[in-house]
Amino acid sequence: MRLSLVRRAVLATVTVVGVLFGPLPTFAAGAAPDHYAAPNHKISHGTSTNWSGYAVSGFGPYKSVSSSWTQPAVNCLKTPTGWSALWVGLDGDTTNTVEQTGTEADCSSGTAVYYAWYEMFPKYPVNYTNPVSPGDSFSASVNYTGRGNFQLTLSDTTKGWSQTTTQRLKSARLGSAEAIAEAPSSSGGVLPLADFGTVGFSGATVNGSLLTNSTPGVDPITMVSGSTVKAAPSAISSGSFSDAWYSQ
């Protein structure tokens, strides 16, 4: 999600509703130019090197997912260089594609940068030009509409803008659904996780039903690096849980 990738947005099919345009994100020299939200790098059941949150798999196909969250501020004094992504998506937990949309909060040489995006991994992400600020309330959904087509919607209900895009990915398997806080990756691997504090996801649904701890195939995922916990989710109840940062 870098300026070099924004040029791809002109090729994307995007429907804009009530947009408030803002500046594109800028980054200091040396920042990774090719980072993306990637499939789950599982270590074992319930642990990952790049995901923290909730995934559901094993009882698909999964055709819809949605959730809401409030964008937290990143602490760039604690993590001067770091990346964090909050999103909902289909696939990625047991498959090699991910159809996802969400927000990003990065620290570049001590400066916070916020923006919104969608991604049909393994294709590169596409950034939206809409402004994103800490404290903004977001709702997001990804819906499979048939024949390899997906509708991805992200709305900033605080600033009053909404983006909907229809994308096609014939290789999508509909194998899982997620609400995730992620340490994005680059060609060199998982990037340092920016200190996002705590984020609360609410109203998380999969295939139209609220996600709970009794949802078949539900998996709470803790992000770890060796023995170090990087981020971890709370228990989930009626589609709501929090996810907390612990370490880069």
Side-chain angles (χ1 to χ4, degrees), residues 52-54 67-70 72 86 179-181 196-204 220-222 231-246:
S52 179
Y54 279 84
S67 190
S68 299
W69 64 88
T70 297
L86 308 174
I180 294 293
F196 60 83
T198 300
V199 59
F201 288 88
S202 62
I221 301 171
T222 297
S234 69
I236 191 167
S237 177
S238 300
S240 296
F241 69 95
S242 62
D243 206 284
W245 180 94
Y246 290 99

Side-chain angles (χ1 to χ4, degrees), residues 90 171 186:
L90 298 174
S171 60
S186 73

Side-chain angles (χ1 to χ4, degrees), residues 134-148:
D136 286 3
S137 296
F138 284 90
S139 61
S141 64
V142 177
N143 293 282
Y144 178 70
T145 58
R147 297 186 177 182

